[in-house]
Amino acid sequence: MTEVKKDDVVKILHTYPLCRKCDMSDEMKQEAMELCVTAAEKYADNYESVSRMIKETMDKKFGASWHTVVGEGYGFEITYQLKHLLYMYCAVKINYQSKSHQNKNKLP
């Protein structure tokens, strides 16, 4: 095993979906995460297409109106409908989606 010194900068990239915050049901969360991974693999170089595929599928499956953000290096503050938030990392891209808000909640 390679030893890492204290002063070394280590950048860890992951290729699996990593959930940062979620208040969805387990079933909805699993379906949404699988959808995000599928969309990211299908449109690897086009964030707009990834976002569109996720939004359209979530709208059809769980009702309108979902908001999806896909990309790198951005910040945000949101309000969202309870039990409809997923904030995750997927293959070094950040995927965020939520349903239109009814209650104001902030991410940590």
Side-chain angles (χ1 to χ4, degrees):
M1 191 162 123
T2 307
E3 192 173 314
V4 178
K5 296 178 183 174
K6 187 176 182 179
D7 296 332
D8 290 345
V9 175
V10 178
K11 186 174 184 180
I12 300 172
L13 301 177
H14 58 275
T15 57
Y16 56 90
L18 177 67
C19 182
R20 173 91 188 266
K21 176 155 176 73
C22 182
D23 70 350
M24 294 177 169
S25 67
D26 289 336
E27 182 180 317
M28 185 186 287
K29 174 185 170 183
Q30 193 62 35
E31 288 185 42
M33 289 180 74
E34 288 173 7
L35 173 61
C36 291
V37 170
T38 301
E41 289 173 351
K42 185 173 183 178
Y43 302 107
D45 296 329
N46 190 336
Y47 295 148
E48 185 178 343
S49 295
V50 173
S51 184
R52 184 180 297 115
M53 179 181 171
I54 295 169
K55 181 197 176 358
E56 289 174 357
T57 305
M58 293 296 286
D59 282 348
K60 287 178 191 172
K61 198 166 224 177
F62 299 108
S65 81
W66 288 86
H67 302 277
T68 305
V69 179
V70 179
E72 300 175 37
Y74 58 86
F76 57 90
E77 185 173 314
I78 61 162
T79 58
Y80 64 94
Q81 184 176 338
L82 290 175
K83 304 293 183 194
H84 289 85
L85 172 75
L86 173 63
Y87 177 36
M88 65 177 273
Y89 298 100
C90 176
V92 299
K93 293 179 186 140
I94 299 173
N95 296 303
Y96 151 77
Q97 59 189 29
S98 72
K99 197 165 183 178
S100 295
H101 66 282
Q102 288 181 347
N103 298 320
K104 292 187 176 186
N105 296 295
K106 293 184 179 180
L107 288 175

